[in-house]
């Protein structure tokens, strides 16, 4: 059968169109990606898988983060990093009526704002037990949150004699005490007027133990120890072999005034104070000490063995005890190393009276006798957390990074940049006797360029990092209201909310 001449052009046009479309399709078909690009896509897919929690599914961990000047606690799920709830603590919260009813108004008293820094979960045998969350306020207060209903149930303070309660609210391994310490040394009792020319001799720091009822969680003032006029910054409690001791970093051991950026940075080393809190408890029960501001305050000069000073790198910020309690890790933020002290060596030095002097009658241990290592982690080390494989993770404020290093060999094995200027960091149960590993959250101070612009005032960046493998992997950027100074991550299965 022959086609008519009139139809032939249509057929040829159709054939040409098909050929052209086939050629175009072949030209536009995805090409085999280069190997480098394939790896990138794979990394993104793996990261997405690790953080994705499907609708209706639940996160594996809770993260409790301090809310800074909001006065509240923020609750997130990990690994999704979804904000789940805000727990009102030191500031009224109209969304739930907190601070407006009679009960919460009575708890807040005359102070209706707070500066929240360090949440601390209750512990049993050095591990989180999911009962309570304690958190400090710079106004000399500590609050207790009941994790059965995520409600603030008690606020104690302002505590007498303590000014600027920063090194708080860290708990001892069986939640016997939550601790406090003076960030700003003052003449005591509060309200005493003395010129700054008397600062070195007559101003005092104070370390406090807040007693916790093991059944109800009720808090009450336990003991106080008067200290030299240093700035006491952060703390941690010993565990296992070092149980019974509490550790506090301090700076301005020069006892300086004036331009502190210059005058308070003259020494090569400052101190970590270590306090035998069981001896403080016993001495208070025996009636030792002097009544100051209505509280019995113990002077370490009168109770030998109560307090010792450990020399540490200049202006130390964090002090962190390893999961087995064998190592005390101090990070001098004006020094490029993190220093590891050996608990057995500390005990030997005390027994041998291996001291280099004293501060107001408190012995100073010989640095060379108790140090195990100076780990070259990087610039501006602040805080250290631990995993379940014997590794430590230290935040580097100046370098905007996290360094991973091995306990025992002291080798830095990995480093990951963060955005930007990290302060604290939190690993999954990373400050307990049995860390979980898996995840770490970098609590960064700056976030510029990491999110849609909201004007000149920026949120802060909390970056989720995977730490299960040999190399750390950035998984997710989350953003928070200012300022989550510190956070803790607990297995969700440990909590039994009503």
């Amino acid at each position: 059968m022959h086609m008519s001449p009139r139809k032939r052009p249509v057929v040829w046009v159709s054939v040409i169109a098909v050929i052209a479309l086939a050629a175009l399709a072949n030209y536009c078909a995805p090409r085999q990606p280069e190997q480098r690009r394939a790896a990138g896509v794979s990394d993104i897919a793996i990261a997405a898988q690790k953080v994705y929690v499907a609708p209706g599914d639940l996160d594996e961990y809770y993260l409790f983060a301090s809310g800074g000047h909001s006065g509240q606690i923020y609750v997130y799920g990990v690994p999704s990093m979804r904000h789940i709830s805000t727990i009102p603590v030191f500031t009224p919260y109209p969304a739930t009526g907190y601070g407006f009813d009679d009960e919460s108004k009575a708890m807040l008293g005359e102070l209706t704002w707070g500066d929240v820094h360090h949440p601390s979960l209750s512990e049993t045998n050095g591990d989180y037990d999911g009962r309570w969350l304690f958190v400090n306020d710079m106004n000399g207060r500590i609050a207790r949150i009941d994790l059965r209903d995520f409600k603030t149930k008690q606020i104690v303070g302002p505590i007498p004699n303590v000014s600027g309660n920063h090194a708080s609210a860290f708990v001892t391994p069986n939640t016997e005490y939550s601790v406090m310490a003076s960030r700003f040394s003052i003449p005591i009792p509060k309200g005493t007027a003395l010129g700054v020319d008397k600062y070195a001799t007559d101003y005092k720091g104070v370390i406090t133990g807040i007693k916790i009822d093991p059944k109800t969680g009720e808090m009450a003032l336990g003991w106080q120890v008067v200290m030299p006029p240093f700035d006491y910054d952060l703390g941690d409690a010993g565990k296992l072999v070092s149980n019974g001791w509490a550790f506090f970093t301090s700076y301005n051991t020069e006892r300086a005034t004036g331009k502190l950026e210059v005058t308070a940075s003259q020494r090569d080393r400052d101190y970590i104070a270590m306090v035998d809190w069981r001896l403080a408890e016993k001495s208070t029960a025996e009636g030792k000490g002097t009544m100051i501001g209505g509280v019995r305050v113990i002077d370490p000069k009168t109770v030998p063995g109560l307090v010792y000073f450990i020399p540490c790198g200049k202006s130390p910020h964090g002090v962190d005890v390893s999961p087995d309690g064998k190592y005390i890790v101090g990070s001098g933020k004006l020094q490029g190393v993190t220093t590891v002290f050996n608990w057995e060596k500390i005990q030997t030095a005390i027994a041998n009276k291996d001291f280099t002097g004293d501060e107001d009658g408190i012995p100073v241990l010989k640095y060379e006798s108790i140090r195990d290592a100076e780990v070259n982690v990087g610039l501006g080390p602040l805080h250290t957390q631990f995993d379940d494989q014997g590794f430590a993770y230290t935040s580097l404020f100046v370098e905007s990074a996290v360094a991973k290093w091995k306990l025992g060999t002291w080798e830095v094995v990995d480093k990951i940049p963060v955005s930007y200027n990290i302060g604290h960091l939190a690993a999954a149960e990373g400050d307990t006797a049995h860390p979980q590993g898996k995840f770490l959250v970098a609590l960064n101070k700056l976030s510029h360029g990491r999110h849609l612009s909201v004007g000149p005032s920026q949120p802060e960046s909390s970056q989720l990092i995977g730490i299960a493998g040999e190399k750390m992997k950035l998984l997710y950027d989350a953003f928070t209201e200012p300022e989550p100074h510190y956070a803790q991550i607990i297995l969700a299965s440990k909590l039994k909310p009503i």
Side-chain angles (χ1 to χ4, degrees):
M1 180 178 178
H2 297 283
M3 289 184 292
S4 66
R6 186 172 56 84
K7 293 181 179 180
R8 283 177 186 155
V10 176
V11 173
W12 283 111
V13 168
S14 300
V15 172
I16 291 169
V18 169
I19 293 171
L21 287 170
L24 184 61
N26 183 65
Y27 177 79
C28 295
R31 290 173 290 176
Q32 183 67 28
E34 298 175 7
Q35 189 62 37
R36 182 176 60 84
R37 179 60 181 164
V41 171
S42 176
D43 288 345
I44 293 170
I46 291 170
Q49 249 184 352
K50 287 182 180 295
V51 303
Y52 180 68
V53 177
D57 289 348
L58 303 178
D59 282 288
E60 187 178 2
Y61 298 93
Y62 286 100
L63 181 148
F64 294 96
S66 62
H69 287 290
S70 75
Q72 322 295 31
I73 287 287
Y74 303 139
V75 184
Y76 295 85
V78 174
S80 74
M81 295 302 291
R82 295 181 296 202
H83 175 252
I84 300 171
S85 178
T86 295
I87 303 174
V89 185
F90 294 111
T91 304
Y93 193 60
T96 61
Y98 182 84
F100 298 91
D101 63 279
D102 291 343
E103 184 180 356
S104 57
K105 284 171 68 175
M107 275 198 300
L108 290 172
E110 297 180 359
L111 282 170
T112 56
W113 64 275
D115 185 7
V116 175
H117 280 248
H118 308 119
S120 185
L121 288 154
S122 58
E123 297 181 8
T124 298
N125 297 324
D127 288 317
Y128 301 151
D129 58 28
R131 292 180 295 164
W132 307 301
L133 179 72
F134 301 88
V135 66
N136 69 313
D137 167 34
M138 287 287 286
N139 291 304
R141 298 182 291 174
I142 291 180
R144 174 177 54 87
I145 297 164
D146 192 328
L147 294 179
R148 292 173 299 178
D149 59 6
F150 285 60
K151 304 294 184 186
T152 301
K153 295 300 173 70
Q154 186 186 10
I155 297 174
V156 295
I159 298 297
N161 304 322
V162 176
S163 178
N165 175 37
H166 190 262
S168 184
F170 311 101
V171 301
T172 53
N174 285 293
T175 320
E176 299 96 340
Y177 287 95
S178 176
V179 298
M180 308 174 72
S182 299
R183 179 71 171 270
F184 311 113
S185 293
I186 59 170
I188 57 173
K190 277 186 179 180
T192 303
L194 283 175
V196 293
D197 59 315
K198 301 288 187 180
Y199 184 86
T201 54
D202 293 354
Y203 283 56
K204 301 297 178 184
V206 173
I207 290 174
T208 302
I210 299 297
K211 182 70 175 175
I212 300 168
D213 185 284
K215 293 183 178 179
T216 66
E218 286 293 304
M219 299 180 290
L221 182 59
W223 46 262
Q224 286 194 333
V225 177
V226 67
M227 300 289 288
F230 307 152
D231 295 350
Y232 298 89
D233 200 13
L234 281 164
D236 197 9
K239 56 178 74 78
L240 299 177
V241 296
S242 53
N243 186 14
W245 293 83
F247 303 89
F248 302 87
T249 53
S250 66
Y251 58 93
N252 190 17
T253 56
E254 294 86 353
R255 311 183 188 213
T257 58
K259 295 181 179 179
L260 295 178
E261 295 85 351
V262 177
T263 58
S265 300
Q266 298 301 304
R267 289 184 170 187
D268 288 335
R269 296 193 181 103
D270 288 298
Y271 296 125
I272 295 170
M274 50 180 284
V275 180
D276 184 340
W277 58 261
R278 289 188 178 126
L279 182 55
E281 180 183 60
K282 179 175 180 288
S283 300
T284 301
E286 292 172 348
K288 295 179 180 178
T290 303
M291 297 301 292
I292 303 175
V295 179
R296 188 172 298 281
V297 182
I298 305 168
D299 188 334
K301 289 196 297 288
T302 67
V303 183
L306 178 61
V307 183
Y308 297 93
F309 280 124
I310 299 171
C312 188
K314 183 180 291 189
S315 194
H317 197 41
V319 56
D320 303 282
V321 180
S322 64
D324 56 12
K326 294 180 179 179
Y327 300 112
I328 316 302
V329 180
S331 295
K333 57 181 177 284
L334 298 183
Q335 190 178 32
V337 300
T338 286
T339 308
V340 183
F341 301 97
N342 184 301
W343 180 248
E344 186 177 340
K345 291 181 179 179
I346 290 171
Q347 294 301 98
T348 300
I350 291 172
N352 294 338
K353 300 187 183 301
D354 194 1
F355 308 141
T356 58
D358 71 88
E359 297 278 1
D360 293 358
I362 299 172
V364 177
L365 299 173
K366 186 177 180 181
Y367 179 79
E368 292 78 11
S369 299
I370 60 177
R371 179 201 64 199
D372 249 15
E374 292 180 345
V375 185
N376 292 303
V377 289
L379 299 179
L382 296 183
H383 306 281
T384 299
Q385 293 269 285
F386 305 92
D387 69 9
D388 57 341
Q389 301 297 316
F391 290 100
Y393 300 81
T394 299
S395 59
L396 306 173
F397 176 79
V398 175
E399 199 168 328
S400 290
V402 175
K404 175 182 179 180
W405 50 279
K406 184 70 173 177
L407 289 168
T409 68
W410 320 123
E411 177 190 5
V412 176
V413 298
D414 192 24
K415 192 174 285 189
I416 187 170
V418 295
S419 304
Y420 306 94
N421 296 107
I422 183 174
H424 284 269
L425 73 172
E429 308 209 356
D431 54 4
T432 70
H434 297 93
Q436 292 281 309
K438 296 182 73 170
F439 299 112
L440 179 147
V441 174
L443 302 167
N444 308 319
K445 304 299 182 185
L446 302 175
S447 64
H448 181 71
R450 304 288 295 187
H451 52 76
L452 291 172
S453 176
V454 290
S457 182
Q458 303 289 314
E460 300 198 359
S461 162
S462 293
Q463 293 183 299
L464 181 69
I465 297 169
I467 60 172
E470 182 180 343
K471 295 291 184 181
M472 294 180 284
K473 300 288 186 183
L474 179 61
L475 302 177
Y476 193 78
D477 276 13
F479 302 97
T480 65
E481 294 288 325
E483 175 185 6
H485 294 270
Y486 184 50
Q488 288 186 326
I489 302 172
I490 179 174
L491 269 174
S493 59
K494 290 187 176 183
L495 273 65
K496 307 297 179 187
I498 57 177

